[in-house]
Amino acid sequence: MGIKAALPKVELYLYTAVLGVALTWAGSWIVEASSENVSRKVFKSHVKPGWHYFGRKMDVSDFEWVMWFTTFRNHILFALSGHVIFAKICSMASPKIGIDGCKHRGLIYMMYGSLAVLLTMGWAFMSMVLAHCFILYSVALIKRKWICFVAGLTSLATFKMEPLVSWQAGFVTGSFDLQDILFYGGCGFSIMRCMSFALENCEKKDGNYTFLDLLKYNFYLPFFFFGPIMTFDRFHVQANNPNLTRKDREMWNITVHALVHLGAILVVDVFFHFLYILTIPSDMKLVKQLSDWSLAGLAYSNLVYDWVKAAVMFGVINTVSRLDHLDPPQPPKCITMLYVFAETHFDRGINDWLCKYVYDYIGQNHDGIFRELVATICTFAITTLWLGPCEIVYIWSFFNCFGLNFELWVAKLFSLPPFSTIEGAMSEATSRRIRGLFNAVNFWQIILYNVLSLNSLEFAKLVAKRLIVTGFPLSTLSVLLVTYCGVQLIKERERKLALLEDTVAEEPGKEKKE
């Protein structure tokens, strides 16, 4: 049945009301748990003084958020602002010395990026990254994809597995707070970029890309330490495009996006003073006292926050890259809008990389069950290495790999008679409602499979037990009912977007006829 199946407006209003009341109710429980337990021992190490004039404390459990928007905010803004200013100065000064600044933008970005990395991390780190780049560049000249993969994954493993990671980290001197984050981020993303370069070089029919092309790609500062990853083919074309004219209202859109990200930062700051959603899961004694609804809301809100964090951090970086006339990977799709595993990701750059070089390459059209199984296993094997092999990552990879394949198995099963015949006899609205029931179950599979990577295995097990076993049937069915309402509202949004796309696609045809 098509995505354009409509439901009565009254029904959609009812879904909106049920979802709004449920979220408000669950949120009130979390606010109450946050306020009444702030003096607990576990809270003292994670909740620090915040708004003194309101007497509220702030949840500071997430080091990444605190690093980006509190502790090292000025350092990060200084480095990114310097990048924009340096590029602007060079583009203005280059014509005076007879150089086409537009044509050599990639070189200008590389000069600033490599200098910033050198001053921040030192000669040892710089030499280490260059050594890995040179090794993978040499492998790229062989033009054999399997050799590039073996070399790239081996290089990545040296930064993800002991004792090689400790041995390499020992060469980098210094003890500032950001050193470990910058070391692992810079090295890990560099290897993934080098692999993209090597694989794209294998596709190049005439000659090879140069080592300078790799350095310009790797040392683009906004992407260097924190990502997102932009595949080499896209970066190379955009960074070497001499036509720097902007589209209508492009600067306006960049400004609006920057203001939206600033607003999101302020909203998260407000929430962290009232909802201690990151600290509560670390206190299992308190968690066990919460109601089933509170647990469900807590698990859901943790994933929503992780999406917001990724969207904001990548959004800040993407704003800078758009000023450089690049089209970076989009922010991840909101977890609230996800009810299928095929669209679940928190880093669109890594997701695009994996899809291009592994998942789509092996899975092709993703219709074959065995080919899809091999594609997902290979994809999550590389993802496990990227995240760092450990027990929690193994479990997360297994369940998400299973979920992705299970979706295909179910879709294949229901495409066969008698299921396909029964659905064909239904109205489109009825089909949408039935599919919504399955999607609601799938939504909570996504929540449970991913919350363990954000909190702990013990917390994920408790949420699953309370919602599926001890909470059955009342808690289980009520949570699924609310989720079903949310899924139908998502489907309604998708229906309107599909109709809008059809309208836009039809307009050029009408103009031609006229």
Side-chain angles (χ1 to χ4, degrees), residues 65 304-316 331-332 346-347:
W65 185 270
V304 171
Y305 162 70
D306 198 64
W307 167 77
V308 171
K309 180 178 72 172
V312 170
M313 290 197 301
F314 289 139
V316 172
F346 292 91
D347 183 338

Side-chain angles (χ1 to χ4, degrees), residues 132-157 190-204 208-209 214 353 357-358 361 382 385:
H132 281 276
C133 288
F134 182 76
I135 291 171
L136 293 177
Y137 174 76
S138 301
V139 173
L141 298 179
I142 302 173
K143 290 202 169 187
R144 292 290 184 272
K145 285 189 175 183
W146 72 270
I147 297 178
C148 293
F149 263 113
V150 171
L153 295 177
T154 301
S155 185
L156 181 62
S190 290
I191 300 304
M192 298 297 279
R193 283 189 288 266
C194 288
M195 288 180 66
S196 177
F197 173 88
L199 294 168
E200 292 299 334
N201 192 66
C202 294
E203 296 290 336
K204 187 175 174 62
N208 299 285
Y209 293 110
L214 174 58
W353 192 101
Y357 299 121
V358 185
Y361 180 76
I382 295 175
L385 180 61

